[in-house]
Amino acid sequence: MAPHGEAIAGAYKRTSAFSEPPRLSKDSLHRTKSDISFELTKEVIDINLPPISEVEDAKCECCGMSEECTPGYIDRVRNKFLGRWICGLCTEAVKEEMEKNGGHKEEGLNAHMSACATFNKFGRAYPVLSQAEAMREMLKKNATRAKSFGPKGAQKMAGIPRSSSCIAAITKDMGDLKLKK
């Protein structure tokens, strides 16, 4: 470059080592695509798949949701849950209820079915009241838990209890500091 940012015209030559690729027309792309799809459909696919059995609508006996399932799957679920067909979501909820009840399948299933029945009668018709009721139950549980761990309670708090305040130690350390003038 020259001192004022001007390029010297004769000093540089533009040489291109790469040639531009040939342009393809849309016609040839469509032809290539159709040739490939023709070749794929021409091949004989000989895979021995079992015939698809008929699907049935199965209605969950807890929440009422319907699913399309094969008869074999419906039978397996019924055998697993005391002759009742329940959907996958309710299955997981019943498993959690079983863990709470010590592994008793019938108690877990009955607890979840009664919760679903209550929700279907009350929660679907009045969703705002249902949410308010759930909040009330949560607050009730927290209040009873707080009372059991209160200062007059017989139980000790889980975790590390605080033995004394640390403010006295901090003020003592600060008293030892002397300001230099």
Side-chain angles (χ1 to χ4, degrees):
M1 283 224 185
H4 299 292
E6 300 166 353
I8 301 174
Y12 298 105
K13 286 188 177 181
R14 185 175 174 180
T15 58
S16 176
F18 303 106
S19 63
E20 289 189 24
R23 301 253 179 196
L24 296 175
S25 69
K26 287 186 180 180
D27 235 10
S28 63
L29 288 176
H30 287 293
R31 201 171 334 118
T32 304
K33 179 182 165 187
S34 65
D35 289 345
I36 291 172
S37 62
F38 176 72
E39 290 296 321
L40 290 174
T41 57
K42 198 167 66 169
E43 294 178 14
V44 177
I45 301 173
D46 188 23
I47 300 174
N48 294 328
L49 295 174
I52 298 174
S53 62
E54 293 294 318
V55 293
E56 298 175 7
D57 277 338
K59 187 173 181 179
C60 179
E61 294 183 34
C62 290
C63 66
M65 186 177 77
S66 292
E67 291 183 13
E68 289 183 346
C69 304
T70 61
Y73 178 73
I74 293 171
D75 290 339
R76 284 195 307 268
V77 171
R78 282 197 172 129
N79 290 336
K80 195 174 183 179
F81 292 102
L82 309 170
R84 298 174 188 255
W85 193 88
I86 59 174
C87 67
L89 187 61
C90 290
T91 299
E92 293 301 316
V94 167
K95 286 179 185 176
E96 286 188 22
E97 289 291 336
M98 284 171 44
E99 288 175 12
K100 289 179 189 176
N101 293 327
H104 300 290
K105 190 178 287 188
E106 188 171 357
E107 290 176 14
L109 183 63
N110 289 337
H112 179 68
M113 288 187 77
S114 68
C116 277
T118 303
F119 176 75
N120 285 337
K121 288 178 184 172
F122 179 67
R124 290 186 194 245
Y126 307 102
V128 175
L129 292 177
S130 175
Q131 186 176 9
E133 177 69 20
M135 291 297 292
R136 191 175 126 229
E137 291 296 321
M138 284 176 33
L139 290 172
K140 229 194 273 187
K141 285 180 184 178
N142 285 341
T144 57
R145 190 176 300 137
K147 286 179 185 175
S148 67
F149 289 118
K152 295 179 184 177
Q155 297 178 348
K156 290 188 176 183
M157 290 182 66
I160 302 172
R162 192 170 113 179
S163 59
S164 65
S165 175
C166 61
I167 293 177
I170 292 172
T171 54
K172 178 184 169 194
D173 289 341
M174 289 181 71
D176 294 340
L177 294 175
K178 293 182 181 176
L179 295 175
K180 294 181 182 180
K181 290 185 180 183

